[in-house]
Amino acid sequence: MSNISLIIDERPANIGNFMVGRLLPFREKRMVGPFSFIDHMGPAAMSDHENLDVPPHPHIGLSTLTFLFEGEITHKDSLGNNVVIKPGQVNWMTSGSGIVHSERTPDYLRTTDKMLHGLQIWVALPKHLEQMEPEFFHVEEQEIPHWEENGLKFKLIAGEAFGKKSPVPVYSPLYFIEIKSSSRQKLNIGDDLFGESALYILDGAVESEGNIFEPKHILIANNAKLCEFEMHENTTVYIFGGEPFPEERFIYWNFVATDKTLIEDAKTKWLNQSFKPVPGETDFVPLPEQSHFTKK
């Protein structure tokens, strides 16, 4: 029996003035472990008059992870953080009871040609931490555990695996791993994984049970412990997952919660503009008109 239970294609989605490839949630698989949302940004070549501009918008009940391959983004939030995210760094923002942030092309790049390419990820919080105080952490590239083994390059971007631990302060058992190959290599890493597990192919190709899988796909494993595959040369994959939560999650816009009441309260709060504002920002993303919930 195949260990691949589901294959998810990247689907186009618009996040304002920027198109992305949406990977999660998917109608047949809302979450993988605590991971509830993944967008693949780019690669996008932007001219000297094109810029990323996502005005202030709120989040509750989750942590966001931004990881860039190319380009730079200025992150500003209602805690007063103002940070430029560069490739290889990790931005980890935990919304808890509520946070507002904006994402824009840095001022010094706005009149030049530029590239933008990366991943934006949401990780749901455990129920007892849904209403925690918001936090923000910026982790430099050199702080991320990285090593080479059997001709492969590994990075443990978040969580714990392979006997290592990332400094990114996660709130439930999970892992987010980068693996790069320069030549064909077989991997059997199931013993280092747990919970639900999935593999995203960024570049190159992956072979499993006689099938070849190419970029812009997520492969969902039936059993993380049976995670075996072959990476073709010049391939980059991301393996992510962890322990799933016992409770279902509701997702509405940028809000994730175990209780619809928390989402309704956040909607009202945003409509009334009573979230703490982002210093220096004056505009905002309005609440979507269509009001619907997506279950886990």
Side-chain angles (χ1 to χ4, degrees):
M1 187 178 85
S2 171
N3 190 40
I4 298 172
S5 67
L6 183 65
I7 301 167
I8 301 176
D9 297 326
E10 198 170 292
R11 304 162 320 275
N14 195 320
I15 57 166
N17 67 333
F18 197 77
M19 291 299 294
V20 299
R22 182 135 305 157
L23 291 153
L24 280 181
F26 183 63
R27 62 184 179 276
E28 295 173 46
K29 187 65 178 172
R30 293 292 169 190
M31 295 175 68
V32 176
F35 290 81
S36 60
F37 176 98
I38 300 180
D39 269 356
H40 176 206
M41 302 182 293
M46 294 186 287
S47 67
D48 57 5
H49 63 278
E50 294 176 309
N51 293 293
L52 175 72
D53 280 302
V54 182
H57 55 281
H59 291 282
I60 66 164
L62 55 86
S63 297
T64 63
L65 189 160
T66 303
F67 188 75
L68 297 181
F69 314 128
E70 294 181 86
E72 300 179 17
I73 296 175
T74 295
H75 161 101
K76 295 182 181 179
D77 64 42
S78 51
L79 298 178
N81 295 293
N82 184 341
V83 176
V84 175
I85 314 165
K86 299 185 178 184
Q89 300 173 339
V90 176
N91 247 37
W92 180 261
M93 182 184 76
T94 298
S95 60
S97 59
I99 199 168
V100 181
H101 75 134
S102 64
E103 298 156 292
R104 302 185 187 274
T105 299
D107 290 343
Y108 54 83
L109 294 178
R110 295 185 74 85
T111 56
T112 65
D113 294 344
K114 57 209 151 278
M115 290 290 296
L116 187 59
H117 191 199
L119 294 173
Q120 290 204 303
I121 295 167
W122 295 359
V123 180
L125 287 166
K127 183 176 181 179
H128 70 284
L129 293 176
E130 280 184 301
Q131 291 290 290
M132 67 179 282
E133 288 296 310
E135 295 179 341
F136 175 81
F137 291 89
H138 180 80
V139 181
E140 296 292 344
E141 182 178 14
Q142 61 269 23
E143 298 176 61
I144 300 297
H146 57 280
W147 67 98
E148 293 191 33
E149 191 175 317
N150 299 325
L152 297 167
K153 292 182 178 180
F154 292 79
K155 278 186 184 178
L156 181 58
I157 297 167
E160 294 187 54
F162 306 105
K164 296 176 170 59
K165 184 176 181 179
S166 166
V168 174
V170 303
Y171 290 101
S172 68
L174 62 86
Y175 45 85
F176 182 51
I177 305 156
E178 177 189 85
I179 309 175
K180 289 179 176 281
S181 68
S182 55
S183 59
R184 287 178 82 104
Q185 298 287 343
K186 287 186 177 179
L187 285 89
N188 183 343
I189 57 173
D191 289 343
D192 292 290
L193 306 180
F194 55 88
E196 296 181 330
S197 190
L199 180 150
Y200 174 59
I201 307 164
L202 178 70
D203 296 310
V206 164
E207 203 164 326
S208 177
E209 297 156 334
N211 299 303
I212 296 176
F213 302 97
E214 296 184 328
K216 299 190 175 183
H217 291 92
I218 283 180
L219 310 181
I220 308 292
N222 271 316
N223 184 341
K225 294 298 179 188
L226 300 178
C227 191
E228 293 184 23
F229 57 94
E230 183 174 359
M231 293 178 68
H232 287 198
E233 60 276 3
N234 301 318
T235 292
T236 302
V237 301
Y238 291 87
I239 296 176
F240 62 94
E243 297 296 347
F245 296 125
E247 319 88 5
E248 66 180 355
R249 291 295 185 281
F250 297 98
I251 301 176
Y252 170 83
W253 192 36
N254 302 315
F255 306 141
V256 175
T258 56
D259 185 344
K260 288 183 180 180
T261 303
L262 294 173
I263 292 178
E264 290 298 333
D265 290 347
K267 286 165 63 176
T268 300
K269 197 173 173 182
W270 187 244
L271 282 169
N272 295 335
Q273 284 296 290
S274 55
F275 275 89
K276 189 176 178 180
V278 178
E281 293 274 18
T282 56
D283 58 345
F284 63 90
V285 180
L287 189 77
E289 291 182 12
Q290 292 297 322
S291 179
H292 65 276
F293 288 96
T294 302
K295 278 191 178 183
K296 168 184 166 184

